[in-house]
Amino acid sequence: VGGVINIVTKGYREGLEGDISVGASSNTGTSLAGNIRCGSEQHQFIFYLSRDEAEGYTPFRKSEIQPSSTDLDRGYEVNTFGAKYGWQISDNTRLSMQYQRTDADLDFAYPYLNAETYNAREEDIATVKLDHRVSDSAELYVKAYWHNWDTLYTRIRNELDASGDMTGNLLELNRGTYWGYEDYGLNAMAKFNFDQGVEYVVGFDNQNFSGEDDVWVIADQKESVNALYAQIRTLEGTIDNTRLAFGVRDNRPSNSESSKVWNFSGQYDFSPNYYARTNIGTSFRLPDAEQLFLNEYYDNDNDGVPDGGWFAIGNPDLEAEKSRNLNLAVGYQSSRLSAELVYFNRDITNYIDSYVPLEINGVVGESFANSDDEVNVEGWEFIAGFQFNARWSANFSHSITEAELNNSGSQLSDIPENETKLSIDYAAAALPLGVSLSFDQVGNFSSRGLERGDYLLVDLSAYYQFGDHDQHQLTARIENLTDEIYATSVGRGTLDADGSSYYYDNLGTDRTLHLRYSYRF
């Protein structure tokens, strides 16, 4: 189930090239970014940095804000620096290295009992990659990585008296409380081609995790995972109009059950324009640290049992989710039009259900549990791209998703029943000018048992280039053009008057104007 995170920067090049940009937004935000690319045929360098800050916006409905919350804006300050180095050691060997550092102060607003809440975060990511062609029939790839994430959390509340009015005093719940993790590992892969029309891949993957959370009281946890994997795939022309691939992976975690997954994929081209493809396989998902070890509750008499207010407790007995997956698609592609209709189906066992009600000593809270009910995720997606002429183009997609517990038939939390996207792009013929208009219609979904969704987001952007080589560019973008009020998720808080719990919406960004100037050299 796990995906892939790519950090994309500008590609290597010989000579000297770069760009710098400055920007501002109506959320009292500013931004500055730049990068330089230089090098020779053998050595290439990239350096980049950025700074983004904003006072932010209030992500709550006015009716859900309690008087005890005096800091309502969710602002941020993010500084990033990175460098890449590529060394073409020989025609057959290349070494690549990258390092990125991010320092950020991120507000974490609450609509209740909030005087100040923020995360002060430091993140380091480093990778080293070696590509080596051993011979005409064998290639070797080795990559090592290190990812470190350290956060100091501060939360200060406004104190209330017995009647629910603010006393003027502050309660310091957290002051620089630590939470974070370290993740490092090595991936080694070999690829073989013996001129048999088939390519073979074998590899070893090692990952090591350690992390702790003093905010949610998750003790220091460590785990390592070793995995062997292999794949066999046909090369172009081996089987007429057909490409096939089959892969397996054996995962061996140190503190969890082992699992084996496999995947088969294939594509058949009926003609130069029409094709059909399929993907069949299995996957798994381990419970995360929050689901296993979360320990957030009020313990007024220090007996280790919740005795006041809402609580959330992890379940260390959770088992991994397992699933079977099927994707089928038919498509068409030409110079003017590309279209694909996709059917997908996924059956999940041991589904990890979040926000499961739990009562201890008369206090109602939440926990996590493996559902006895099998989950079925089934749906359709239609994707199309149109190039009407040299000036006008459009992209469209529509998806329908039924993600339901088989016995109850209820849709899983936070998964929209449908979503439709449309973007229209125009590039002027006589001027270096372009305009883009995008729509995103999100269907109904439930969050913590409450119905949400059914909203339309519209973004409008335009650019204008000038200079002898169009090296200057002005860009304007209006995010949420219609100022739609919509909820991205649901939180749970307490009322000032009597301390009882209530649900509130975390709202998406309101209408925001972004302006940016960039210079390319």
Side-chain angles (χ1 to χ4, degrees), residues 93-153:
T93 306
R94 181 173 182 84
L95 179 69
S96 303
M97 295 185 288
Q98 178 172 348
Y99 171 75
Q100 179 173 297
R101 166 80 175 196
T102 300
D103 293 290
D105 288 328
L106 308 170
D107 286 344
F108 200 103
Y110 288 92
Y112 66 100
L113 293 173
N114 189 51
E116 184 180 25
T117 304
Y118 64 90
N119 286 286
R121 181 169 301 161
E122 298 175 350
E123 182 180 28
D124 299 278
I125 303 174
T127 61
V128 178
K129 182 174 66 171
L130 178 70
D131 294 275
H132 177 61
R133 179 181 290 274
V134 180
S135 65
D136 291 340
S137 59
E139 295 179 43
L140 178 66
Y141 163 96
V142 180
K143 180 180 179 180
Y145 75 93
W146 171 67
H147 185 191
N148 189 66
W149 171 300
D150 295 316
T151 300
L152 300 179
Y153 178 71

Side-chain angles (χ1 to χ4, degrees), residues 312-334:
I313 295 179
N315 180 1
D317 296 324
L318 288 175
E319 298 179 5
E321 291 182 355
K322 299 179 181 179
S323 63
R324 300 180 302 276
N325 316 293
L326 167 66
N327 286 268
L328 298 171
V330 292
Y332 172 85
Q333 189 162 3
S334 69

Side-chain angles (χ1 to χ4, degrees), residues 74 212 297:
R74 190 166 193 177
E212 60 182 295
Y297 59 84

